[in-house]
Amino acid sequence: MKDLQTIKGAVHQDLKHDSAIKQVQGRADYTDDIAEPIGTLHAYLGVSTVTHANIRGMDLSRVRAAPGVVAVLTAEDVPGVNDVSPTGKHDEPVFPTEKVEFHGQPMFAVIAETRDAARRAAELADVDYDVLPHALDPIAAEDAGMPLVTDPLKLERGDVEAGFAAAANRISGRMVVGGQDHMYLEGHIAFAIPGEDDDVVVHCSTQHPSEAQHMVAHVLGVPSNAVVVNVRRMGGGFGGKESQMNLFCAVAAIGAKKLNRPVKIRPDRDQDMTATGKRHDFVIDYDLGFDHDGRIQAVESQFAARCGYSSDLSGPVTDRALFHADNAYFYPNVRLKSRPQKTNTVSNTAFRGFGGPQGVVAAERMIEEVAYALGKDPLEVRKANFYGDAEDGRNVTPYHQTVEDNVIGRVVEELEQSADYQARRKAIIEENAKGGIIRRGLALTPVKFGISFTATWYNQAGALIHVYNDGSIHLNHGGTEMGQGLNTKVAQVVAEAFQVDFDRIKITKTTTEKVPNTSATAASSGSDLNGMAALDAAEQIKARLVKFAAESRGVSEEAVSFVPNHLRIGDEVVPFDSFIKEAYMARVQLSSAGFYKTPKIHWDRAAGKGRPFYYYAYGASCSEVSVDTLTGEYRVERTDILHDVGRSLNPILDIGQVEGAFIQGMGWLTTEELWWDEAGRLRTHAPSTYKIPLASDRPRIFNVELADWSENREMTIKRSKAVGEPPFMLGISVFEALSMAVASVADYRQCPRLDAPATPECVLMAVERLKAGA
Ligand code: MTE
Ligand code: HPA
Ligand code: MOS
């Protein structure tokens, strides 16, 4: 009875992503692979060719007359509300009527027999613009008196003025941190199929099917129960599909209902990059007081973000920047302010870390300032400022949450040893002192990341499990699969609960028909929330099975247990399949809906106080780079990572997440540069000019370990921790290693104050600047 011993694919085991092989072989279905019914039409967006203007008139006659064109949609064709803003601020029209507010803003949609015809026709609009002045970045926009897109946040604790007065040293500075394009492999796409009456089904690539559903309903002027949104999987989302799909879903659905034919919309890469939002870039002004030992005493900073023309998710993104402006450090006296600045650019949105990385990179810059000012190793300054515990009282965040699960000291210490940090730093300093052209840098940076949606009500999830009478299991939950392995992990939880092999469980598409009112799969909370909801559903079915087993055999319920692929009932061992058939014949309900909401969290935004996060995830990375000081070119020689995922649900998937996040974070801070010209056009709108890291850019030596001793002290799913976003910030070690290499040209006496991204040009300019100053 081999299959009695263990099940295949239980939790805490390495198990490959359930669609890995299908994806490699091209057999995994994406939205564009769905067979198109006869009569399917194709939509394409017509966009603004100026950055800010009143629309005097729009002549679309040439568009309508173009070959293959079936219809042109404008604001007049929106039957319900002309708005797809996720905030309720009504600041994001499907199609604008009076003004355009960024270059490339969608203005109308062409629907044609082929995508090519629609795309060509979209170029033919004659728009009469009354051009207005524009401001592209948060500083220019503030100077021009432009409003904020949403209310700013202030976090304050301690006595900042007294803290500064008592501090022996004080430094202020400004850091400019660039944005980032999501560069998912699969771009945006929506495919709407009209049904009878009000009905419409939309297949699309979104992290937030429920919002897409509600948005389509709202735009069509129908109740949400008329709209179904389906997502089998995404070819990457990274936050770029948390809200940005709304527009595409709306356009496809409006077209499909108007023409009563299926309509698909799929922008090309250039349009995807120009018409959809990105990571927010920030201008961060900091003022910091510290003592001679490098202990920070007071911090005051402002985080101004380029939010673009509408609010979208900029409120919670800029909030999260403040929540992470401490990273892993205790600030005794602190005041932090956000400035969610409106600009004449595409509306920026969620991107892995959701503002957190911008806060963390500023915290790390402040550490560097202290270290270079005092002539210390930045790692020493980090350690001096880490959060402490209840005993030393250094465990309260700027938002008044107590840090109860601090493991950063242990994580950093272990990595310092395993990466041989001290000896390597010494050797590098000696080598750099010889004055060669190639300089090396080494940095070890920590991360602490808060887990939970800061919008407390988002922290809920549902799941639906059916056990069919042949013993096969159908699993549905509210989360979406974007490559992160969520479906695999949730199925492992269910396999473990029923003690059946993983392959008995069918992982199905996410659909608003099965689990309603779901949250975005975001904030790294997918497996925390949906894993728990699925477990709840499984436990309900199991309880019914146990009751029936006990009754049918005349034993106590305690005598019934789930053993690998069987039930043990008293002395009897019954195969799962045959027991399920028995239960069905006895009319036991074999289907259940599960639900979960995160306990303990609360947040009062007006007061700036609460416990927004259920727990924290921690990690650290150590990177070594070499820089050519004549050209600014560099490469990452080695990276060591130790990351905390609690008790990993699936170590191999988690390591994949850590590796991918690190590389993506490194790309953000090194080569990925968004560049707008003065006219307001994004000129880096394709992989030809926008440089994500290549396989050849990965660290030459790359050691990634999970902290296998860690266990979540909170009752999360199987004591695991979220993994999706936190390791993104591990990329900061590369940025700081570059900084050290640059600093070597001036004998480490000056903080290089690199802005991000530190492209080779920027590194070269910093080298020249420091040489000139030295
Ligand atoms: N991993 C892959 N392969 N593709 C993605 O799009 N998105 C990231 C992260 N890891 C992403 C990914 C982001 S932004 C988040 S919030 C989480 O996955 C979401 O999934 P989870 O909550 O299930 O971890
Ligand atoms: N993280 C990611 N997405 C979100 C959040 C968050 O905190 N809040 C709303 N959407
Ligand atoms: Mo991730 S930015 O929360 O989708």
Side-chain angles (χ1 to χ4, degrees):
M1 290 214 116
K2 197 173 136 282
D3 61 350
L4 251 181
Q5 282 154 16
T6 81
I7 57 162
K8 261 187 281 163
V11 292
H12 309 311
Q13 289 178 14
D14 285 346
L15 182 68
K16 66 175 171 288
H17 191 293
D18 71 278
S19 51
I21 292 184
K22 283 188 285 191
Q23 282 170 315
V24 171
Q25 294 180 336
R27 291 185 300 111
D29 283 348
Y30 294 84
T31 301
D32 212 20
D33 297 318
I34 296 170
E36 293 171 8
I38 290 169
T40 296
L41 297 170
H42 299 268
Y44 208 79
L45 296 172
V47 301
S48 99
T49 54
V50 297
T51 299
H52 188 202
N54 288 321
I55 305 167
R56 279 209 207 97
M58 212 169 18
D59 178 358
L60 299 173
S61 52
R62 289 205 302 145
V63 183
R64 290 182 205 280
V69 171
V70 177
V72 179
L73 305 179
T74 65
E76 284 165 22
D77 299 291
V78 179
V81 183
N82 182 18
D83 181 71
V84 284
S85 165
T87 59
K89 286 189 190 292
H90 288 263
D91 59 358
E92 207 171 316
V94 182
F95 301 120
T97 50
E98 277 154 29
K99 55 182 177 179
V100 288
E101 297 190 271
F102 71 94
H103 201 288
Q105 180 173 353
M107 297 179 78
F108 63 91
V110 192
I111 300 183
E113 296 291 349
T114 66
R115 187 167 168 272
D116 186 56
R119 204 175 151 195
R120 288 174 193 279
E123 300 286 314
L124 302 176
D126 291 308
V127 184
D128 186 7
Y129 296 108
D130 174 18
V131 174
L132 302 168
H134 61 255
L136 302 177
D137 66 70
I139 303 303
E142 182 177 358
D143 291 346
M146 284 172 69
L148 303 182
V149 293
T150 186
D151 293 337
L153 176 67
K154 182 166 93 169
L155 300 180
E156 188 160 12
R157 217 201 59 253
D159 184 337
V160 181
E161 280 66 35
F164 278 118
N169 303 285
R170 189 161 178 174
I171 290 180
S172 59
R174 168 173 283 187
M175 181 177 198
V176 180
V177 179
Q180 187 175 25
D181 187 87
H182 301 87
M183 213 32 110
Y184 22 58
L185 279 178
E186 177 211 33
H188 282 281
I189 181 163
F191 183 25
I193 300 172
E196 62 181 33
D197 302 326
D198 287 345
D199 296 358
V200 61
V201 175
V202 185
H203 301 274
C204 65
S205 184
T206 180
Q207 293 171 237
H208 202 346
S210 286
E211 184 174 271
Q213 174 202 15
H214 299 315
M215 213 56 81
V216 166
H218 176 77
V219 163
L220 291 179
V222 302
S224 292
N225 65 10
V227 182
V228 174
V229 172
N230 294 327
V231 182
R232 174 60 186 92
R233 62 169 65 74
M234 284 165 272
F238 305 113
K241 295 170 180 171
E242 185 173 333
S243 64
Q244 301 293 295
M245 188 58 60
N246 293 343
L247 176 83
F248 299 97
C249 290
V251 169
I254 294 167
K257 289 312 282 183
K258 181 182 164 87
L259 301 167
N260 202 25
R261 288 169 71 174
V263 173
K264 185 191 275 190
I265 182 165
R266 174 167 63 84
D268 67 9
R269 182 64 61 171
D270 302 78
Q271 190 167 81
D272 190 297
M273 289 183 75
T274 48
T276 69
K278 308 167 197 315
R279 181 185 296 283
H280 292 66
D281 37 358
F282 276 72
V283 177
I284 302 148
D285 290 304
Y286 53 89
D287 194 357
L288 121 123
F290 53 99
D291 66 17
H292 292 308
D293 297 328
R295 278 214 171 180
I296 292 171
Q297 283 161 326
V299 170
E300 168 143 40
S301 39
Q302 178 184 263
F303 288 74
R306 173 169 9 213
C307 295
Y309 86 104
S310 73
S311 53
D312 184 71
L313 299 168
S314 295
V317 166
T318 48
D319 287 2
R320 198 177 265 274
L322 298 199
F323 287 123
H324 289 84
D326 59 344
N327 191 17
Y329 310 115
F330 175 66
Y331 299 156
N333 304 290
V334 54
R335 187 183 302 127
L336 308 167
K337 288 184 198 153
S338 68
R339 218 190 130 72
Q341 180 65 55
K342 175 167 177 160
T343 51
N344 294 120
T345 49
V346 65
S347 191
N348 280 332
T349 195
F351 195 140
R352 205 169 195 167
F354 204 75
Q358 295 93 319
V360 172
V361 81
E364 295 306 329
R365 156 58 60 79
M366 292 193 285
I367 294 290
E368 279 195 293
E369 291 275 23
V370 174
Y372 287 105
L374 300 177
K376 287 181 183 291
D377 175 354
L379 182 57
E380 194 187 327
V381 177
R382 293 194 160 98
K383 289 179 181 173
N385 286 287
F386 281 153
Y387 276 109
D389 49 34
E391 256 161 63
D392 61 20
R394 294 171 55 88
N395 63 345
V396 187
T397 63
Y399 43 96
H400 301 257
Q401 172 163 353
T402 304
V403 182
E404 294 170 343
D405 58 5
N406 190 0
V407 293
I408 196 61
R410 178 165 178 188
V411 168
V412 164
E413 215 159 281
E414 289 191 5
L415 185 68
E416 186 180 343
Q417 295 302 323
S418 66
D420 198 16
Y421 175 85
Q422 295 299 346
R424 284 167 63 205
R425 179 171 157 94
K426 190 159 164 280
I428 287 170
I429 289 175
E430 278 167 17
E431 188 60 33
N432 285 346
K434 292 178 187 158
I437 286 165
I438 306 291
R439 296 295 176 93
R440 295 208 169 203
L442 181 73
L444 195 162
T445 59
V447 60
K448 159 178 144 290
F449 195 78
I451 302 300
S452 294
F453 286 96
T454 55
T456 303
W457 69 92
Y458 261 50
N459 297 287
Q460 59 171 307
L464 181 66
I465 294 180
H466 303 323
V467 181
Y468 291 104
N469 71 19
D470 65 351
S472 67
I473 298 173
H474 177 109
L475 166 63
N476 200 269
H477 58 82
T480 55
E481 177 64 44
M482 58 194 99
Q484 83 278 41
L486 174 62
N487 283 344
T488 310
K489 288 181 176 177
V490 178
Q492 282 176 278
V493 168
V494 174
E496 171 101 9
F498 285 110
Q499 282 295 303
V500 297
D501 290 337
F502 175 86
D503 44 23
R504 185 186 287 269
I505 297 162
K506 186 86 181 169
I507 300 168
T508 55
K509 68 173 183 279
T510 310
T511 172
T512 55
E513 281 183 312
K514 284 189 182 153
V515 181
N517 306 319
T518 54
S519 298
T521 306
S524 307
S525 63
S527 50
D528 281 17
L529 297 175
N530 296 288
M532 279 296 207
L535 183 59
D536 178 42
E539 292 298 343
Q540 293 174 39
I541 298 172
K542 280 172 66 184
R544 292 184 211 124
L545 292 173
V546 168
K547 187 161 175 281
F548 165 65
E551 280 167 11
S552 68
R553 305 300 194 276
V555 298
S556 74
E557 291 191 7
E558 289 68 48
V560 181
S561 59
F562 289 79
V563 293
N565 296 307
H566 294 74
L567 274 84
R568 188 185 298 281
I569 311 169
D571 296 333
E572 205 187 331
V573 173
V574 191
F576 188 79
D577 292 350
S578 41
F579 186 72
I580 291 295
K581 182 68 111 234
E582 245 186 82
Y584 162 73
M585 294 305 293
R587 298 183 293 176
V588 175
Q589 187 192 352
L590 295 173
S591 170
S592 239
F595 184 76
Y596 176 74
K597 59 181 182 196
T598 311
K600 295 188 179 179
I601 49 175
H602 54 94
W603 173 237
D604 179 347
R605 191 173 185 275
K609 289 184 181 170
R611 177 182 178 160
F613 303 121
Y614 189 28
Y615 64 89
Y616 297 98
Y618 298 86
S621 63
C622 178
S623 292
E624 178 177 338
V625 300
S626 54
V627 174
D628 181 330
T629 54
L630 293 182
T631 65
E633 290 164 294
Y634 48 76
R635 71 180 195 199
V636 183
E637 303 292 350
R638 171 171 167 183
T639 294
D640 295 75
I641 289 174
L642 182 60
H643 194 77
D644 158 34
V645 294
R647 281 202 71 197
S648 175
L649 285 173
N650 182 330
I652 200 91
L653 287 188
D654 283 349
I655 286 178
Q657 283 291 293
V658 174
E659 290 172 344
F662 167 83
I663 297 288
Q664 197 169 36
M666 176 184 94
W668 166 52
L669 295 170
T670 56
T671 59
E672 297 187 40
E673 184 174 28
L674 292 166
W675 197 79
W676 285 263
D677 64 18
E678 282 180 9
R681 280 184 300 176
L682 177 68
R683 303 307 293 268
T684 48
H685 54 74
S688 53
T689 45
Y690 184 79
K691 294 294 173 195
I692 61 169
L694 305 176
S696 53
D697 294 318
R698 80 199 181 286
R700 294 290 188 278
I701 302 170
F702 197 13
N703 301 319
V704 179
E705 301 269 344
L706 302 178
D708 57 9
W709 42 264
S710 178
E711 178 171 275
N712 202 329
R713 68 195 294 280
E714 299 296 346
M715 291 295 291
T716 51
I717 185 75
K718 307 289 170 189
R719 300 281 184 160
S720 66
K721 288 189 178 185
V723 68
E725 296 166 289
F728 181 90
M729 282 144 279
L730 298 174
I732 294 172
S733 62
V734 173
F735 186 63
E736 285 219 4
L738 289 171
S739 180
M740 177 184 169
V742 170
S744 75
V745 306
D747 208 20
Y748 315 100
R749 275 179 281 105
Q750 207 183 324
C751 177
R753 293 191 167 180
L754 289 178
D755 284 336
T759 58
E761 297 92 296
C762 293
V763 168
L764 182 59
M765 287 190 284
V767 165
E768 296 293 324
R769 180 161 46 80
L770 263 69
K771 275 185 180 163

